[in-house]
Amino acid sequence: MRNIHIGGFVFIIFIIVSCGRSEKFPDYVTAHVDIDNVEFTESTDYFFSGQYSGREQESKYFPVLDSLLALKQMYLHKNEGFDMGLFREMWTRFKGRTENIRFNENAAKKWFEVTGFLFELSGNAVQAEELERISRTHFSYLAPDTRNPMILPYVFTREVDHIHVNLFLPAEIGYTHSLGGGVKIRQETDFPGSGKVRLIFSMETKQYIELYVRIPTWAESASVTVKGVKYVAPPGNYCKIAKKWKEGDEVEIEFPPENMPDYLKL
Protein backbone atom coordinates (compact mmCIF):
# COMPACT_ATOMS: atom_id res chain seq x y z
CA MET A 1 0.00 0.00 0.00
CA ARG A 2 1.21 3.52 -0.70
CA ASN A 3 2.63 5.38 2.28
CA ILE A 4 0.11 7.62 3.99
CA HIS A 5 1.44 11.14 3.76
CA ILE A 6 -0.04 12.79 6.80
CA GLY A 7 2.76 14.99 8.08
CA GLY A 8 1.46 18.04 6.21
CA PHE A 9 -2.07 17.17 7.23
CA VAL A 10 -1.06 17.09 10.90
CA PHE A 11 0.70 20.44 10.58
CA ILE A 12 -2.37 22.03 9.02
CA ILE A 13 -4.56 20.55 11.75
CA PHE A 14 -2.50 22.21 14.47
CA ILE A 15 -2.58 25.55 12.69
CA ILE A 16 -6.37 25.32 12.58
CA VAL A 17 -6.51 24.27 16.21
CA SER A 18 -4.36 27.19 17.27
CA CYS A 19 -6.87 29.58 15.68
CA GLY A 20 -9.71 28.03 17.65
CA ARG A 21 -13.06 26.85 16.34
CA SER A 22 -16.64 26.80 17.52
CA GLU A 23 -17.32 23.57 19.44
CA LYS A 24 -15.84 23.60 22.94
CA PHE A 25 -15.67 21.03 25.74
CA PRO A 26 -18.83 18.94 25.23
CA ASP A 27 -19.95 16.88 28.22
CA TYR A 28 -19.41 13.15 28.26
CA VAL A 29 -22.34 11.23 26.80
CA THR A 30 -21.16 7.99 28.36
CA ALA A 31 -18.00 7.11 30.24
CA HIS A 32 -15.76 4.09 30.56
CA VAL A 33 -16.26 2.06 33.71
CA ASP A 34 -13.65 1.77 36.45
CA ILE A 35 -11.96 -1.59 36.05
CA ASP A 36 -12.86 -2.50 39.65
CA ASN A 37 -16.56 -2.37 38.71
CA VAL A 38 -16.50 -4.61 35.64
CA GLU A 39 -15.03 -8.06 35.12
CA PHE A 40 -14.92 -10.90 32.65
CA THR A 41 -17.18 -13.67 33.88
CA GLU A 42 -15.33 -16.49 32.09
CA SER A 43 -12.36 -17.15 29.85
CA THR A 44 -12.36 -14.98 26.76
CA ASP A 45 -9.41 -16.50 24.93
CA TYR A 46 -11.67 -17.44 22.01
CA PHE A 47 -12.36 -13.77 21.47
CA PHE A 48 -8.76 -13.05 20.55
CA SER A 49 -7.91 -16.19 18.59
CA GLY A 50 -8.77 -14.81 15.15
CA GLN A 51 -6.10 -13.66 12.74
CA TYR A 52 -5.94 -10.41 10.83
CA SER A 53 -7.28 -10.96 7.30
CA GLY A 54 -6.53 -7.59 5.67
CA ARG A 55 -4.27 -7.21 2.66
CA GLU A 56 -1.75 -4.85 4.21
CA GLN A 57 1.35 -5.53 6.24
CA GLU A 58 2.06 -4.04 9.65
CA SER A 59 1.98 -0.27 9.53
CA LYS A 60 4.74 2.14 10.40
CA TYR A 61 4.29 4.66 13.15
CA PHE A 62 1.57 7.26 12.49
CA PRO A 63 2.31 10.74 13.92
CA VAL A 64 -1.35 11.66 13.48
CA LEU A 65 -2.11 9.48 16.51
CA ASP A 66 0.06 11.75 18.66
CA SER A 67 -1.89 14.69 17.30
CA LEU A 68 -5.17 13.07 18.31
CA LEU A 69 -3.78 12.30 21.76
CA ALA A 70 -2.63 15.93 22.04
CA LEU A 71 -6.17 17.06 21.27
CA LYS A 72 -7.43 14.76 24.01
CA GLN A 73 -5.06 16.40 26.48
CA MET A 74 -6.28 19.81 25.34
CA TYR A 75 -9.83 18.75 26.23
CA LEU A 76 -8.79 17.36 29.61
CA HIS A 77 -6.91 20.58 30.47
CA LYS A 78 -9.67 22.78 29.02
CA ASN A 79 -7.27 24.35 26.54
CA GLU A 80 -9.23 26.81 24.40
CA GLY A 81 -7.67 25.39 21.26
CA PHE A 82 -9.71 22.20 21.56
CA ASP A 83 -12.52 21.72 19.08
CA MET A 84 -14.80 18.69 19.06
CA GLY A 85 -15.73 19.05 15.41
CA LEU A 86 -12.08 19.09 14.41
CA PHE A 87 -11.30 16.07 16.60
CA ARG A 88 -14.16 14.12 15.02
CA GLU A 89 -13.15 15.12 11.49
CA MET A 90 -9.52 14.19 12.08
CA TRP A 91 -10.53 10.81 13.57
CA THR A 92 -12.87 10.03 10.67
CA ARG A 93 -10.28 10.86 8.02
CA PHE A 94 -7.64 8.75 9.74
CA LYS A 95 -10.01 5.81 10.16
CA GLY A 96 -10.86 5.85 6.47
CA ARG A 97 -7.17 5.61 5.55
CA THR A 98 -6.18 2.82 7.92
CA GLU A 99 -8.98 0.23 7.94
CA ASN A 100 -6.88 -2.32 6.02
CA ILE A 101 -3.61 -1.74 7.85
CA ARG A 102 -2.12 -3.87 10.59
CA PHE A 103 -0.97 -1.57 13.40
CA ASN A 104 2.05 -2.26 15.53
CA GLU A 105 1.35 -2.55 19.27
CA ASN A 106 2.14 1.07 20.08
CA ALA A 107 -0.08 2.46 17.31
CA ALA A 108 -2.91 0.03 18.11
CA LYS A 109 -3.01 1.13 21.75
CA LYS A 110 -3.05 4.81 20.77
CA TRP A 111 -5.78 4.29 18.18
CA PHE A 112 -7.89 2.41 20.73
CA GLU A 113 -7.38 5.18 23.29
CA VAL A 114 -8.40 8.06 21.03
CA THR A 115 -11.33 6.07 19.65
CA GLY A 116 -12.58 5.32 23.15
CA PHE A 117 -12.24 8.96 24.13
CA LEU A 118 -14.24 10.16 21.11
CA PHE A 119 -16.88 7.54 21.84
CA GLU A 120 -17.27 8.79 25.40
CA LEU A 121 -17.85 12.32 24.11
CA SER A 122 -20.20 11.35 21.29
CA GLY A 123 -21.91 8.10 22.29
CA ASN A 124 -21.70 7.23 18.60
CA ALA A 125 -21.95 3.58 17.60
CA VAL A 126 -19.39 4.18 14.84
CA GLN A 127 -16.63 4.58 17.43
CA ALA A 128 -17.90 1.66 19.51
CA GLU A 129 -17.81 -0.61 16.48
CA GLU A 130 -14.29 0.57 15.74
CA LEU A 131 -13.28 -0.33 19.31
CA GLU A 132 -14.46 -3.85 18.60
CA ARG A 133 -12.61 -3.99 15.28
CA ILE A 134 -9.37 -2.70 16.82
CA SER A 135 -9.48 -5.17 19.72
CA ARG A 136 -10.19 -8.16 17.50
CA THR A 137 -7.84 -7.20 14.69
CA HIS A 138 -4.87 -5.73 16.53
CA PHE A 139 -4.94 -7.10 20.09
CA SER A 140 -4.91 -10.84 19.34
CA TYR A 141 -1.16 -10.99 20.00
CA LEU A 142 -1.21 -9.05 23.28
CA ALA A 143 -0.95 -10.75 26.66
CA PRO A 144 -4.18 -10.76 28.72
CA ASP A 145 -2.70 -8.50 31.40
CA THR A 146 -2.06 -5.91 28.67
CA ARG A 147 -5.24 -6.13 26.61
CA ASN A 148 -7.85 -6.77 29.31
CA PRO A 149 -7.38 -3.48 31.24
CA MET A 150 -7.85 -1.65 27.94
CA ILE A 151 -10.94 -3.54 26.77
CA LEU A 152 -12.84 -4.11 30.03
CA PRO A 153 -13.80 -0.47 30.67
CA TYR A 154 -15.59 -0.30 27.30
CA VAL A 155 -17.64 -3.51 27.37
CA PHE A 156 -20.20 -1.43 29.27
CA THR A 157 -20.06 2.34 29.61
CA ARG A 158 -22.23 4.42 31.92
CA GLU A 159 -23.51 7.93 32.56
CA VAL A 160 -25.57 7.99 35.79
CA ASP A 161 -28.27 5.33 35.05
CA HIS A 162 -27.76 5.20 31.29
CA ILE A 163 -25.89 2.00 30.41
CA HIS A 164 -24.35 1.36 26.99
CA VAL A 165 -23.55 -2.20 25.95
CA ASN A 166 -20.75 -1.79 23.42
CA LEU A 167 -18.67 -4.97 23.20
CA PHE A 168 -20.15 -8.45 23.23
CA LEU A 169 -18.13 -10.40 25.77
CA PRO A 170 -19.00 -12.51 28.81
CA ALA A 171 -18.68 -9.78 31.43
CA GLU A 172 -20.51 -8.18 34.34
CA ILE A 173 -20.89 -4.58 35.51
CA GLY A 174 -21.82 -3.57 39.04
CA TYR A 175 -22.70 -0.09 40.30
CA THR A 176 -24.91 1.81 42.74
CA HIS A 177 -28.08 3.28 41.25
CA SER A 178 -28.54 7.05 41.58
CA LEU A 179 -31.56 6.41 43.83
CA GLY A 180 -29.70 3.85 45.91
CA GLY A 181 -29.36 0.10 45.73
CA GLY A 182 -26.93 -2.14 43.92
CA VAL A 183 -27.29 -3.04 40.26
CA LYS A 184 -25.51 -5.80 38.35
CA ILE A 185 -25.84 -6.58 34.67
CA ARG A 186 -24.28 -9.82 33.44
CA GLN A 187 -23.66 -10.42 29.76
CA GLU A 188 -23.64 -14.06 28.65
CA THR A 189 -22.48 -14.88 25.13
CA ASP A 190 -20.11 -16.92 23.01
CA PHE A 191 -20.08 -14.17 20.38
CA PRO A 192 -18.83 -14.34 17.67
CA GLY A 193 -19.20 -18.11 17.88
CA SER A 194 -22.90 -17.41 17.51
CA GLY A 195 -24.96 -14.25 17.25
CA LYS A 196 -26.70 -14.78 20.59
CA VAL A 197 -26.25 -12.45 23.56
CA ARG A 198 -28.16 -12.39 26.83
CA LEU A 199 -28.19 -9.64 29.47
CA ILE A 200 -29.36 -10.56 32.98
CA PHE A 201 -30.23 -7.99 35.66
CA SER A 202 -29.61 -8.43 39.36
CA MET A 203 -31.17 -5.65 41.47
CA GLU A 204 -31.66 -4.89 45.14
CA THR A 205 -34.82 -2.93 44.29
CA LYS A 206 -36.78 -2.24 41.10
CA GLN A 207 -35.15 0.71 39.33
CA TYR A 208 -35.47 2.77 36.17
CA ILE A 209 -32.49 2.36 33.84
CA GLU A 210 -32.00 3.38 30.22
CA LEU A 211 -30.21 0.55 28.46
CA TYR A 212 -28.54 1.08 25.07
CA VAL A 213 -27.52 -2.03 23.11
CA ARG A 214 -25.20 -1.51 20.17
CA ILE A 215 -26.46 -2.95 16.88
CA PRO A 216 -23.55 -3.52 14.46
CA THR A 217 -23.75 -2.05 10.98
CA TRP A 218 -23.78 -5.55 9.47
CA ALA A 219 -26.67 -6.81 11.66
CA GLU A 220 -29.58 -5.94 9.37
CA SER A 221 -32.01 -8.45 10.89
CA ALA A 222 -30.96 -8.23 14.54
CA SER A 223 -33.58 -8.70 17.24
CA VAL A 224 -33.70 -7.35 20.80
CA THR A 225 -36.42 -8.82 23.00
CA VAL A 226 -37.53 -8.28 26.60
CA LYS A 227 -40.36 -10.47 27.91
CA GLY A 228 -41.64 -11.13 24.43
CA VAL A 229 -41.56 -7.46 23.43
CA LYS A 230 -39.31 -6.66 20.48
CA TYR A 231 -37.52 -3.33 20.37
CA VAL A 232 -36.33 -1.37 17.36
CA ALA A 233 -32.80 -2.52 16.49
CA PRO A 234 -31.33 -0.09 13.92
CA PRO A 235 -28.05 -1.29 12.35
CA GLY A 236 -25.17 1.06 13.08
CA ASN A 237 -26.91 2.57 16.09
CA TYR A 238 -28.14 1.71 19.58
CA CYS A 239 -31.35 -0.04 20.56
CA LYS A 240 -32.79 1.91 23.49
CA ILE A 241 -34.75 0.15 26.24
CA ALA A 242 -35.99 2.55 28.90
CA LYS A 243 -37.94 0.89 31.70
CA LYS A 244 -38.00 -0.14 35.32
CA TRP A 245 -35.97 -3.29 35.76
CA LYS A 246 -36.18 -5.87 38.50
CA GLU A 247 -34.26 -8.89 39.72
CA GLY A 248 -33.98 -11.58 37.03
CA ASP A 249 -35.06 -9.45 34.07
CA GLU A 250 -33.40 -10.51 30.81
CA VAL A 251 -32.68 -9.04 27.40
CA GLU A 252 -32.30 -11.49 24.53
CA ILE A 253 -30.27 -10.30 21.55
CA GLU A 254 -29.72 -12.14 18.29
CA PHE A 255 -27.44 -11.06 15.46
CA PRO A 256 -27.36 -12.81 12.06
CA PRO A 257 -24.04 -14.73 12.19
CA GLU A 258 -23.97 -15.21 8.42
CA ASN A 259 -23.52 -11.45 7.95
CA MET A 260 -20.50 -11.07 10.25
CA PRO A 261 -17.46 -9.30 8.76
CA ASP A 262 -14.20 -11.19 8.34
CA TYR A 263 -12.59 -9.80 11.49
CA LEU A 264 -15.27 -11.52 13.58
CA LYS A 265 -14.83 -14.91 11.98
CA LEU A 266 -12.60 -17.26 13.95
Side-chain angles (χ1 to χ4, degrees), residues 24-96:
K24 303 293 183 185
F25 313 123
D27 293 332
Y28 287 97
V29 173
T30 188
H32 66 273
V33 178
D34 189 290
I35 197 168
D36 292 333
N37 296 319
V38 62
E39 60 181 14
F40 287 133
T41 57
E42 59 184 78
S43 172
T44 55
D45 287 345
Y46 70 89
F47 175 79
F48 304 98
S49 62
Q51 297 297 316
Y52 176 70
S53 59
R55 296 191 299 266
E56 307 302 332
Q57 62 184 2
E58 183 168 316
S59 71
K60 294 183 179 180
Y61 177 68
F62 291 109
V64 70
L65 292 173
D66 281 338
S67 299
L68 285 164
L69 287 169
L71 285 169
K72 174 184 175 180
Q73 290 302 313
M74 292 171 76
Y75 174 92
L76 296 177
H77 292 92
K78 297 300 182 282
N79 184 305
E80 288 298 319
F82 177 81
D83 179 84
M84 179 63 173
L86 178 61
F87 189 94
R88 186 188 296 113
E89 176 186 347
M90 191 174 177
W91 182 89
T92 301
R93 291 183 64 180
F94 184 69
K95 175 180 179 294

Side-chain angles (χ1 to χ4, degrees), residues 46-264:
Y46 70 89
F47 175 79
F48 304 98
S49 62
Q51 297 297 316
Y52 176 70
S53 59
R55 296 191 299 266
E56 307 302 332
Q57 62 184 2
E58 183 168 316
S59 71
K60 294 183 179 180
Y61 177 68
F62 291 109
V64 70
L65 292 173
D66 281 338
S67 299
L68 285 164
L69 287 169
L71 285 169
K72 174 184 175 180
Q73 290 302 313
M74 292 171 76
Y75 174 92
L76 296 177
H77 292 92
K78 297 300 182 282
N79 184 305
E80 288 298 319
F82 177 81
D83 179 84
M84 179 63 173
L86 178 61
F87 189 94
R88 186 188 296 113
E89 176 186 347
M90 191 174 177
W91 182 89
T92 301
R93 291 183 64 180
F94 184 69
K95 175 180 179 294
R97 296 182 180 193
T98 60
E99 287 183 347
N100 292 318
I101 291 177
R102 178 65 176 263
F103 288 109
N104 57 41
E105 180 177 336
N106 185 45
K109 289 177 179 179
K110 289 183 176 183
W111 184 226
F112 191 89
E113 179 181 346
V114 297
T115 298
F117 174 67
L118 180 56
F119 170 66
E120 292 180 64
L121 292 180
S122 68
N124 195 315
V126 172
Q127 283 87 47
E129 189 157 324
E130 180 66 3
L131 288 174
E132 180 173 69
R133 191 186 71 85
I134 296 167
S135 61
R136 293 182 182 276
T137 301
H138 302 296
F139 288 173
S140 61
Y141 52 88
L142 297 182
D145 59 351
T146 298
R147 70 193 182 211
N148 291 355
M150 297 182 65
I151 294 169
L152 268 175
Y154 288 100
V155 177
F156 303 94
T157 54
R158 182 175 75 89
E159 179 63 21
V160 191
D161 300 311
H162 297 181
I163 307 294
H164 283 69
V165 183
N166 309 302
L167 305 177
F168 306 111
L169 292 165
E172 181 176 280
I173 181 177
Y175 81 101
T176 301
H177 195 275
S178 62
L179 298 180
V183 175
K184 287 186 178 180
I185 304 174
R186 186 172 75 254
Q187 183 169 218
E188 296 182 351
T189 184
D190 67 345
F191 184 88
S194 75
K196 295 184 178 181
V197 181
R198 186 168 63 154
L199 301 170
I200 304 169
F201 282 76
S202 179
M203 323 271 294
E204 292 183 3
T205 59
K206 191 174 183 179
Q207 298 284 18
Y208 178 86
I209 294 172
E210 291 187 7
L211 185 72
Y212 297 82
V213 178
R214 183 174 66 84
I215 308 300
T217 53
W218 50 265
E220 290 288 342
S221 57
S223 66
V224 179
T225 307
V226 180
K227 295 182 178 179
V229 177
K230 288 192 174 182
Y231 288 78
V232 177
N237 211 321
Y238 281 84
C239 170
K240 179 181 178 179
I241 309 171
K243 65 185 295 291
K244 281 193 172 183
W245 303 84
K246 66 179 188 303
E247 175 73 23
D249 278 349
E250 296 186 7
V251 181
E252 296 180 347
I253 306 158
E254 290 196 25
F255 300 127
E258 65 275 9
N259 294 340
M260 290 182 183
D262 288 342
Y263 68 80
L264 291 176

